[in-house]
Amino acid sequence: SSPAGAPPAPRRAAPRVTVPLAEIVYVRAAPAYVQQLSVHVGDDADGDLLSVAAGPPVVDGSVGPDVKGLVKPGQKVSIVSEATGAHAAGTVESIADRPTKPHKGDEQAGDTDADTYALRVRPSGRLPVDLLGEDVRLTITAASSRHAVPAVPTTAISAGADGQTTVTVREGGQERRVVVETGMTADGYVQVTPRRHGALSVGDRVVVGVDERPAPETP
């Protein structure tokens, strides 16, 4: 307050922070995260200094041809980091229609050259910070069965260049390929339904894989 008739006390100006325009970077959406930092304090500013990811984070993964038919947009997904124990929930946003061949030396390729289908998961909420940029395990519950269904080992499923999924049946020394639709999968088995009625029966023997590595030499 001020005495009657006295002019009001001048307001103190709010502090103002200024920075060079060259130090301002605009991103397309919030939040934004630093993905990679290539320099340290005191280094020469040369080349790419850092990379920034903007917008809500997503999870990219892949599935094999034996379970591709089970995954649909909108399905619930459990996201878990086996390294830190952090977990989150999400939904399947999209799955590729065409397979992607892993590149040689790609860590995701593992010990197999099998085609995989790219998968994108949208988290239900904000991901824990310690999950950003880390490998996670995705668990998708597709369906359950109330009764017995025909199934084969997942290694018996083959995906051709034409997009058809098949199994190879062996009968009396002869082999024939049967086009099938895949269904539920669990414990290393996948549900199959032949496109041609009667082409596959319970008890048929199917080829589950071939070891193409050369046999070890005996001394």
Side-chain angles (χ1 to χ4, degrees):
S1 62
S2 59
R11 294 183 177 181
R12 180 176 299 178
R16 179 178 299 177
V17 178
T18 60
V19 296
L21 183 61
E23 296 185 8
I24 301 297
V25 176
Y26 293 93
V27 295
R28 66 176 184 270
Y33 304 92
V34 176
Q35 282 189 310
Q36 184 177 1
L37 184 63
S38 305
V39 294
H40 301 282
V41 176
D43 291 346
D44 293 334
D46 185 23
D48 295 333
L49 305 182
L50 57 85
S51 61
V52 176
V58 295
V59 180
D60 290 325
S62 62
V63 297
D66 54 321
V67 298
K68 191 265 181 183
L70 301 174
V71 181
K72 308 293 182 184
Q75 289 175 329
K76 300 297 183 182
V77 184
S78 171
I79 307 168
V80 177
S81 170
E82 297 182 345
T84 65
H87 62 278
T91 57
V92 176
E93 182 178 83
S94 63
I95 183 168
D97 293 327
R98 297 175 178 267
T100 301
K101 194 85 170 183
H103 299 288
K104 290 184 177 180
D106 190 345
E107 293 181 359
Q108 294 183 349
D111 297 328
T112 179
D113 291 329
D115 293 340
T116 58
Y117 293 81
L119 172 73
R120 172 155 290 188
V121 174
R122 177 72 60 180
S124 299
R126 179 171 295 183
L127 282 179
V129 176
D130 53 359
L131 286 185
L132 297 177
E134 299 295 329
D135 292 333
V136 294
R137 173 167 51 85
L138 304 178
T139 302
I140 304 173
T141 302
S144 60
S145 173
R146 295 183 179 180
H147 53 81
V149 296
V152 298
T154 56
T155 53
I157 299 294
S158 299
D162 57 0
Q164 290 186 331
T165 304
T166 63
V167 297
T168 301
V169 179
R170 178 169 295 174
E171 294 177 339
Q174 301 294 322
E175 294 182 354
R176 59 183 175 88
R177 300 178 70 83
V178 178
V179 179
V180 298
E181 297 285 350
T182 56
M184 297 171 291
T185 182
D187 298 328
Y189 285 82
V190 59
Q191 177 189 0
V192 291
T193 304
R195 289 190 181 178
R196 183 171 61 84
H197 181 71
L200 192 65
S201 302
V202 174
D204 285 345
R205 301 180 64 187
V206 295
V207 177
V208 295
V210 178
D211 188 355
E212 298 180 348
R213 294 174 298 179
E217 297 182 0
T218 56

